[in-house]
Amino acid sequence: MDTQALALALPLIGWASHTALLTHRLATARRDPLTGLRTRAGWTALAERIIRRHRDAVVLLLDLDDFKNLNDSHGHAAGDVALAVTAERLATWCGRHGIAGRLGGDEFVAIARQASDLESLHRSLRQPVAYAGRRLPVSVSVGSCHVKDLPVRSLSDALTAADSAIYAAKGTAGRRGIRPLSR
């Protein structure tokens, strides 16, 4: 290859390599490496589309109860397993009609086109998690918001309502579970 052709090709090769790297970073930023769920950025755009198209959509916020205690008592590897299992259970519940995401830490989010059986999700989420030959108890608080109950259909308002509902669920002494905003 002559020098002039090489001089022309090098910037193109550099540009192509840089583009491939940026594309890879963008793709990985949209998926949580531990759970495989979408991150906030990857989840939000899809959730907004579902809210615009499906009046009966339900938005969920979830977090693992006493997650710090699980990590402190059984180790961070046990906590990672609990997060991965919770993510799998949530994604299974969403199926093809919804999207699950991980906001970070022990917080998850989901949207389903229709309010499926929330009680079956709760039963699934509270099943013990197998780790190192033991069955670790897991408790997950869930707040939900039915989009049709909002004055204006917006993801931001749905998340705010679900957040209020999750605090209500956590604030009820001795009872964890799903607390819908309204019906």
Side-chain angles (χ1 to χ4, degrees), residues 122-133:
H122 183 53
R123 278 191 306 275
S124 170
L125 292 172
R126 70 176 175 233
Q127 294 300 312
V129 171
Y131 175 74

Side-chain angles (χ1 to χ4, degrees), residues 50 54-58 96-98 111-115:
I50 288 174
H54 301 278
R55 178 172 159 55
D56 292 331
V58 62
R96 297 178 325 142
H97 304 290
I111 186 167
R113 292 181 198 147
Q114 294 179 346

Side-chain angles (χ1 to χ4, degrees), residues 149-165:
D149 294 336
L150 296 172
V152 176
R153 285 192 294 175
S154 79
L155 180 58
S156 177
D157 289 348
L159 288 170
T160 299
D163 191 46
S164 295

Side-chain angles (χ1 to χ4, degrees), residues 14-167:
W15 177 80
S17 298
H18 183 68
T19 300
L21 176 66
L22 289 177
T23 300
H24 174 71
R25 284 187 178 169
L26 181 61
T28 57
R30 295 194 179 274
R31 293 280 179 181
D32 174 59
L34 176 64
T35 64
L37 295 181
R38 295 180 185 279
T39 60
R40 181 186 305 262
W43 182 84
T44 300
L46 295 170
E48 287 176 342
R49 191 174 328 150
I50 288 174
I51 283 180
R52 281 192 309 270
R53 294 179 181 173
H54 301 278
R55 178 172 159 55
D56 292 331
V58 62
V59 174
L60 307 175
L61 278 178
L62 307 87
D63 75 12
L64 276 73
D65 300 321
D66 302 319
F67 184 67
K68 182 183 181 326
N69 186 39
L70 176 71
N71 274 337
D72 291 347
S73 300
H74 301 284
H76 290 280
D80 286 351
V81 169
L83 291 170
V85 168
T86 299
E88 181 181 327
R89 291 172 180 173
L90 182 58
T92 298
W93 179 82
C94 286
R96 297 178 325 142
H97 304 290
I99 303 157
R102 181 176 177 208
L103 297 179
D106 65 342
E107 296 179 331
F108 296 88
V109 65
I111 186 167
R113 292 181 198 147
Q114 294 179 346
S116 298
D117 183 8
L118 294 176
E119 194 54 43
S120 70
L121 172 64
H122 183 53
R123 278 191 306 275
S124 170
L125 292 172
R126 70 176 175 233
Q127 294 300 312
V129 171
Y131 175 74
R134 297 175 28 190
R135 295 176 57 79
L136 304 177
V138 176
S139 176
V140 180
S141 292
V142 181
S144 67
C145 173
H146 297 267
V147 174
K148 67 183 175 189
D149 294 336
L150 296 172
V152 176
R153 285 192 294 175
S154 79
L155 180 58
S156 177
D157 289 348
L159 288 170
T160 299
D163 191 46
S164 295
I166 201 170
Y167 279 106

